[in-house]
Amino acid sequence: EAGVAQSPRYKIIEKRQSVAFWCNPISGHATLYWYQQILGQGPKLLIQFQNNGVVDDSQLPKDRFSAERLKGVDSTLKIQPAKLEDSAVYLCASSLVPGDYEQYFGPGTRLTVT
Amino acid sequence: AQSVTQLDSQVPVFEEAPVELRCNYSSSVSVYLFWYVQYPNQGLQLLLKYLSGSTLVKGINGFEAEFNKSQTSFHLRKPSVHISDTAEYFCAVSKNTGFQKLVFGTGTRLLVSP
């Protein structure tokens, strides 16, 4: 079984530029999560999708971050414009159903904003 | 809201020695508890979880954890560690109703030396 795929693995941009991350969850997994992991901290949930609908985006900075999951499969997270404090690892995870208490994580995208 | 405290940012230990990684949580409602491991440049992997039943939970790679409701703790233990156990360990909590929303601690880096 293929795991959660993310691309790119690394990205360096200047502040005020835009960036997008892509995630392809495990086949058949209905629930998809995006987390932000700042160095020295635990992952923080940004947004949770159930199929192609948003379940929770309470911690997503909506003035600059956006995410979509068209057709309920893969997902894109965008930052526009980026700030220095957005430097972090962005993790995507998926689970089979909402009540499945095991989330499967991708390798993450390390973003550096200079 | 739920929160997690991992008191030790780093735990050095010699190979074949026992180890305990501490985790305390705070919540006004009943919770589920998890330990995840993150190897360098990889995503998080579930080690074990407590949902209900026996308070002693066994996970992968010889790890176990004990849920103590009165102490609001979920400490992770292994009787004999290997070099390959060197990684970052995250404790996480979610409420036990509704959509799962994991709240992570700041992590404990386990450093196993020969």
Side-chain angles (χ1 to χ4, degrees), chain A residues 84-96:
Chain A
L84 296 176
E85 59 261 36
D86 298 332
S87 293
V89 176
Y90 291 85
L91 295 165
C92 179
S94 68
S95 63
L96 186 59

Side-chain angles (χ1 to χ4, degrees), chain B:
Chain B
Q2 291 73 47
S3 66
V4 174
T5 301
Q6 292 183 248
L7 295 168
D8 306 304
S9 60
Q10 189 166 292
V11 173
V13 64
F14 288 108
E15 192 175 19
E16 297 183 7
V19 70
E20 178 180 83
L21 305 184
R22 296 181 294 168
C23 171
N24 288 89
Y25 70 93
S26 173
S27 176
S28 58
V29 299
S30 296
V31 297
Y32 294 149
L33 292 155
F34 308 82
W35 276 99
Y36 280 83
V37 61
Q38 187 175 34
Y39 298 103
N41 297 315
Q42 295 186 27
L44 281 74
Q45 179 184 9
L46 181 68
L47 270 180
L48 48 79
K49 61 188 175 191
Y50 171 78
L51 304 183
S52 64
S54 173
T55 57
L56 183 62
V57 180
K58 294 191 183 297
I60 62 172
N61 301 340
F63 284 93
E64 64 179 32
E66 185 155 22
F67 170 57
N68 188 319
K69 188 174 182 179
S70 62
Q71 308 253 353
T72 61
S73 67
F74 191 55
H75 300 331
L76 181 71
R77 293 191 288 261
K78 187 169 183 178
S80 176
V81 295
H82 303 289
I83 297 286
S84 59
D85 292 323
T86 295
E88 190 89 18
Y89 291 80
F90 292 94
C91 182
V93 64
S94 75
K95 60 182 183 178
N96 67 356
T97 56
F99 287 101
Q100 184 194 35
K101 180 176 179 177
L102 286 175
V103 175
F104 286 88
T106 52
T108 297
R109 180 169 298 278
L110 177 63
L111 295 170
V112 182
S113 54

Side-chain angles (χ1 to χ4, degrees), chain A:
Chain A
E1 176 182 79
V4 176
Q6 290 188 248
S7 67
R9 290 295 311 276
Y10 305 91
K11 190 74 176 179
I12 301 174
I13 62 172
E14 295 182 352
K15 59 183 179 183
R16 291 187 288 274
Q17 286 187 323
S18 302
V19 65
F21 314 126
W22 174 82
C23 171
N24 190 24
I26 293 173
S27 177
H29 280 199
T31 310
L32 185 147
Y33 313 79
W34 281 104
Y35 290 86
Q36 179 191 58
Q37 186 178 15
I38 293 173
L39 187 65
Q41 298 181 22
K44 182 184 80 172
L45 180 68
L46 292 176
I47 188 167
Q48 178 181 347
F49 291 94
Q50 172 62 20
N51 295 311
N52 60 351
V54 175
V55 170
D56 185 343
D57 63 357
S58 58
Q59 298 191 96
L60 187 73
K62 298 179 186 62
D63 58 334
R64 297 184 301 105
F65 285 64
S66 65
E68 60 182 12
R69 190 184 183 197
L70 300 176
K71 299 181 182 179
V73 182
D74 54 351
S75 175
T76 303
L77 177 69
K78 297 179 181 177
I79 307 175
Q80 180 180 1
K83 293 185 175 182
L84 296 176
E85 59 261 36
D86 298 332
S87 293
V89 176
Y90 291 85
L91 295 165
C92 179
S94 68
S95 63
L96 186 59
V97 293
D100 181 357
Y101 289 96
E102 178 162 2
Q103 296 184 17
Y104 295 82
F105 285 79
T109 296
R110 182 176 298 277
L111 173 67
T112 302
V113 182
T114 62

